[in-house]
Amino acid sequence: MLAAVLAALAGTALAAAFVPTDTAGVSWITLVWLHTGEINARQSDINPAGTISVDKKVADASVGDYDALLLPGGTMNPDQLRTDPDAVSFVREFMGTGKPVATICHGPWTLAEADVVRGRRLTSWPSIRTDLRNAGADVVDEEVVVDRQLITSGGPHDLPVFCNTLIDRLAETLQPA
């Protein structure tokens, strides 16, 4: 079973596929981004936090290969994702599957660009809430919001509840049949 995840690490966007490596369900992460090579991690969008090797381009990723999607937070990377047609298409198609999608901070920008927030209840970083309302979302100020398959949180201060909610949802979704 695979779970796809466009994720943020120390403010840097990357996509991760959790792939079981043995019968005990131990997983590893495959990183997917807009290009191959390495991406620069940032702490709070400003301070360098190392580099991360990318294993796959989003243009080469198939939604059907994954069971969940995590969109990045921070400002720089969601802004890059929402201007990339392949990333926007991937997000739009993924939302259409009903599989879990989680996003935090500025990550919902990409959902707005993909035109998939209309009628959805969600939260985000305060500075993008008007953008989300203009895209048709019902935006609230809460630590974490779950609306069907969509899990959203406002920012780094919400990471503990966001991560726990995401882990719980993945545990429910990824149960063996």
Side-chain angles (χ1 to χ4, degrees):
M1 169 130 350
L2 267 65
V5 188
L6 275 162
L9 180 63
T12 295
L14 43 112
F18 301 125
V19 184
T21 57
D22 63 31
T23 57
V26 175
S27 301
W28 64 15
I29 297 174
T30 301
L31 304 179
V32 182
W33 181 234
L34 302 177
H35 55 76
T36 57
E38 291 189 337
I39 55 177
N40 294 312
R42 296 276 179 221
Q43 184 66 37
S44 303
D45 286 333
I46 298 168
N47 302 316
T51 60
I52 305 164
S53 295
V54 175
D55 299 313
K56 189 172 196 171
K57 289 174 51 174
V58 70
D60 299 330
S62 174
V63 167
D65 290 342
Y66 305 108
D67 296 306
L69 178 66
L70 174 62
L71 292 168
T75 56
M76 295 167 47
N77 293 293
D79 197 47
Q80 290 177 43
L81 283 176
R82 71 186 179 135
T83 62
D84 183 84
D86 292 321
V88 172
S89 177
F90 186 85
V91 168
R92 183 181 304 114
E93 186 179 346
F94 209 99
M95 282 292 292
T97 68
K99 298 173 187 178
V101 175
T103 185
I104 190 167
C105 195
H106 289 71
W109 258 344
T110 309
L111 295 172
E113 188 67 31
D115 194 25
V116 295
V117 298
R118 190 168 317 285
R120 296 290 189 139
R121 186 171 181 268
L122 52 84
T123 192
S124 70
W125 190 256
S127 66
I128 70 164
R129 291 180 182 163
T130 298
D131 297 336
L132 298 172
R133 285 186 191 99
N134 289 340
D138 174 17
V139 182
V140 297
D141 183 9
E142 297 178 14
E143 280 184 316
V144 67
V145 175
V146 178
D147 181 345
R148 293 170 270 172
Q149 92 253 37
L150 184 59
I151 303 163
T152 57
S153 280
H157 54 281
D158 299 320
L159 278 170
V161 69
F162 176 73
C163 291
N164 287 335
T165 302
L166 175 57
I167 290 166
D168 290 346
R169 181 56 58 99
L170 290 176
E172 294 169 11
T173 304
L174 302 178
Q175 289 296 318

